[in-house]
Amino acid sequence: MRAPGADGRITRNRNRKWQLLLLLLLDEEEEKQQQWEDRQQTLAYLQWQHQHARRRTWLQNYYCQLQALYADLDVLESCRLRRAHVAAAALGAAVSTQQSVHRRLWVKNRSQAWWAKCNHPGFPDEEFHRSFRMCRATFNLICEQLAGAVAKENTMLRAAIPVEQRVAVCIWRLATGEPLRLVSKRFGLGISTCHKMVLEVCAAINDVLLPKYVQWPSAERLQHVTREFEAMSGMRNVVGALYTTHIPIIAPKINVAAYFNKRHTEHNQKTSYSITLQGMVDARGSFTDVCIGWPGSMSDERVFEKSNLFRRGMSEDLRGMWVLGGPGYPLLDWLLVPYVQHNLTWAQHAFNEKVVEVLQIARNAFSRLKGRWKFLQRRTEVKLQELPAVLGACCVLHNICEMHNEMFDPELHFEVVDDEMLPENINFPITALQARDSIAHNLLHNVHAGSSFL
């Protein structure tokens, strides 16, 4: 017989043995897991070392090849310089011995008969005006003012193209919108040469003539402008009429959505892209302020807020003056726009009637601008970053023609179509609303007293 409690001790001993066995198994499993992780880390490190060695070898080989290529380029450049020195020495020797260098080796002979005929003093003035949109006296004045900026010097290999021909190429291209291929043939010059001349002359016009012919009126001139506007509209202190048009362009390669013109696409039934041209004109239709080049997807209001005219007005430089704009512009303390709500009063009708008459001056000015310079009527291959200078040159030439009373051929009439949109912000200043109502009341009782409207 077993002693009492013997079975309990046996059971406890057996449990201790199982616990020790489990602990040994857990230690062994943990040791195996640690060995496996160490082995994986060792393999990853060896693999990284191998890849690093391969990458270092590849970079060393690439560097060696690059050094060899640079060495070959240095040899080629040295040979080119030696050949250039030899050619220069030979040319210098030829010149020193008075040996002739034939231009036909450097310049392709092209017929310049058409330009020679136009440039002849006996060429009819009417034909000259039809070709260049201005008389010869105005053309010569432009050439004189641009001579210092566009003139080139003769070289040993070729004679410089005269200033008159350079300016003529630019004006003809802007006036007719003719493709460069035909301009090149007409003037007897290379296509790339004509394109370069157009850009150079336009840049010179912007640098030399823009500050002179497109400028904010002086105090004396402003008084004259306000009197002219008052005589035609009955509104006092009006200094200009504002309008924004769109110039068609080829779809740009970057940021194409910004230049997409939804309104013209719907009107023309084909995809249209454009940039904007905002201009303020005086009573005679000459530009006094322009803002050029903003994307065509922007509304008139947003373009206006980006312009120098907006900054001038918000800085209170126009205190006591009025600029008239269409319904697409916001009503401000210095910018008057027509009433757009329904059920207008007689005073509001009278005001809108006069505003439309003044704004028609701006529309007519843009119509003459695009009519004179057909380049603005169709898409062009000029790069987007170069186009504002061309548009600025067209505005300057427009003002010069207007200033010298150049006749506008009715056959060149171009209908300006720019759909207007209501401004995004219709919370106009109360002072501006009150001022517009007061002007409308005065127009009704003072100016329209004998009109058919009443």
Side-chain angles (χ1 to χ4, degrees), residues 426-441:
I426 59 175
N427 296 321
F428 302 142
I430 296 179
T431 54
L433 292 169
Q434 294 173 346
R436 182 173 65 173
D437 291 340
S438 176
I439 294 174
H441 177 80

Side-chain angles (χ1 to χ4, degrees), residues 229-243:
F229 275 119
E230 184 177 0
M232 68 178 64
S233 67
M235 288 186 285
R236 297 179 178 179
N237 300 323
V238 176
V239 296
L242 190 62
Y243 189 79

Side-chain angles (χ1 to χ4, degrees), residues 132-187:
F132 299 99
R133 310 292 191 255
M134 61 187 70
C135 66
R136 189 180 295 275
T138 304
F139 176 82
N140 291 336
L141 175 65
I142 295 174
C143 293
E144 291 175 4
Q145 295 179 344
L146 294 180
V150 302
K152 306 292 182 180
E153 296 183 356
N154 295 333
T155 66
M156 186 170 50
L157 302 180
R158 68 178 71 193
I161 300 173
V163 172
E164 292 77 9
Q165 189 172 2
R166 292 176 179 273
V167 176
V169 168
C170 177
I171 294 181
W172 174 267
R173 168 84 163 128
L174 298 180
T176 63
E178 199 172 59
L180 286 170
R181 173 178 55 83
L182 299 181
V183 177
S184 166
K185 184 177 180 180
R186 186 178 299 276
F187 284 88

Side-chain angles (χ1 to χ4, degrees), residues 56-164:
R56 183 175 57 188
T57 303
W58 182 86
L59 289 174
Q60 289 176 347
N61 293 337
Y62 175 77
Y63 179 75
C64 292
Q65 293 175 1
L66 196 61
Q67 292 295 325
L69 178 61
Y70 284 155
D72 293 340
L73 291 176
D74 290 339
V75 173
L76 292 175
E77 181 67 15
S78 178
C79 293
R80 188 189 68 80
L81 290 175
R82 284 199 297 270
R83 287 196 298 269
H85 290 319
V86 172
L91 186 59
V95 173
S96 63
T97 56
Q98 297 184 353
Q99 295 177 359
S100 63
V101 179
H102 300 290
R103 289 186 65 219
R104 61 184 177 86
L105 298 177
W106 304 90
V107 181
K108 181 179 179 180
N109 288 326
R110 296 182 174 91
S111 174
Q112 298 189 1
W114 182 85
W115 165 242
K117 181 178 69 173
C118 291
N119 197 36
H120 192 275
F123 189 69
D125 292 338
E126 293 182 0
E127 291 292 329
F128 190 92
H129 191 284
R130 187 177 298 110
S131 298
F132 299 99
R133 310 292 191 255
M134 61 187 70
C135 66
R136 189 180 295 275
T138 304
F139 176 82
N140 291 336
L141 175 65
I142 295 174
C143 293
E144 291 175 4
Q145 295 179 344
L146 294 180
V150 302
K152 306 292 182 180
E153 296 183 356
N154 295 333
T155 66
M156 186 170 50
L157 302 180
R158 68 178 71 193
I161 300 173
V163 172
E164 292 77 9

Side-chain angles (χ1 to χ4, degrees), residues 325-328 331 336-341 351-352 355-356 359 428 436:
L331 177 65
L336 286 176
V337 298
Y339 294 94
V340 295
Q341 69 269 24
F351 177 83
N352 283 2
V355 170
V356 169
L359 292 182
F428 302 142
R436 182 173 65 173

Side-chain angles (χ1 to χ4, degrees), residues 10-50:
I10 293 173
T11 301
R12 286 193 296 272
N13 291 334
R14 187 181 294 117
N15 289 340
R16 291 192 188 97
K17 289 179 181 180
W18 280 109
Q19 290 175 356
L20 290 174
L21 180 60
L22 287 175
L23 290 174
L24 291 174
L25 290 175
L26 288 174
D27 291 341
E28 184 179 356
E29 183 66 23
E30 184 177 357
E31 183 178 358
K32 288 181 180 179
Q33 181 68 23
Q34 184 64 36
Q35 290 176 354
W36 183 84
E37 291 179 356
D38 293 342
R39 186 163 55 253
Q40 292 297 323
Q41 291 180 356
T42 303
L43 289 175
Y45 177 73
L46 292 175
Q47 186 178 7
W48 176 82
Q49 279 189 328
H50 177 69

